[in-house]
Amino acid sequence: SMKDVTSLNIRVAHDICIEPARLRPWLRENLLIIGVPGSGKTTLLRACIRTLSQMGQCVGVVDERDEVGAFDLGSHVDVLRGCGKQAGMELLLRAMVPEWIAVDEISAEADVLALEKCSYCGVKLLATAHAESVDELRRRRLYRMLLETGVFRRALAMRADQQFAEEEITL
């Protein structure tokens, strides 16, 4: 039923190995991973999930586009594929009893509200967002709303060389 297709965009997920000891210091409380498109946010998210699983932590992943779960994430990970973030987070909270919930690309107000709700239930959160820095997050209405919830206090900012640096989140 598709007509006049002028182009296709095919994304090929790739995986990298990051030494778990390098990630553990950041995996004690909610963590936001930020960066520009293509900087490696999803790849770092995947590495964090895998590290948590290796630490024996139960992680629930809401994977709308089947990008995060494209690789083995570990034996302590449950992945909801093709499910919207808000509905998926609520389902994980009610049925799966995760210690962590991970979502990729916060892009709607409903995502922010669902993250806030999860934080009140004692679940730790991993999420990604499109922004080069915490300063850029503050300038965008949606992400400013996310920061104002107080859910995230730290961010790992991806750089162009696919390395990351910690940034403190303050209002």
Side-chain angles (χ1 to χ4, degrees), residues 14-27:
H14 67 281
D15 202 17
I16 60 168
C17 292
I18 298 176
E19 183 62 37
R22 188 171 170 215
L23 296 174
R24 281 189 197 110
W26 290 289
L27 298 175

Side-chain angles (χ1 to χ4, degrees), residues 98-166:
E99 295 169 83
W100 289 80
I101 290 179
V103 295
D104 197 20
E105 296 188 13
I106 299 306
S107 58
E109 209 169 296
D111 302 344
V112 172
L113 296 173
L115 285 166
E116 184 177 30
K117 179 178 180 179
C118 289
S119 74
Y120 296 149
C121 296
V123 175
K124 294 177 187 167
L125 301 166
L126 285 171
T128 66
H130 286 281
E132 189 172 10
S133 66
V134 172
D135 285 337
E136 186 177 337
L137 287 174
R138 285 188 201 102
R139 290 191 299 268
R140 293 172 151 177
R141 188 187 71 74
L142 175 68
Y143 295 138
R144 190 172 50 253
M145 180 181 153
L146 176 64
L147 298 181
E148 288 171 354
T149 66
V151 169
F152 296 100
R153 288 187 249 151
R154 293 175 309 131
L156 289 182
M158 299 299 298
R159 299 188 314 232
D161 61 0
Q162 294 196 329
Q163 296 299 311
F164 53 87
E166 183 177 9

Side-chain angles (χ1 to χ4, degrees), residues 30-67:
N30 298 345
L31 182 64
L32 183 63
I33 299 168
I34 60 174
V36 298
S39 62
K41 295 178 301 298
T42 302
T43 304
L44 180 58
L45 177 68
R46 214 179 284 122
C48 288
I49 293 166
R50 190 176 294 117
T51 297
L52 287 166
S53 179
Q54 290 169 356
M55 294 166 55
Q57 301 280 305
C58 295
V59 184
V61 179
V62 181
D63 193 4
E64 285 180 299
R65 295 180 321 271
D66 203 18
E67 283 186 298

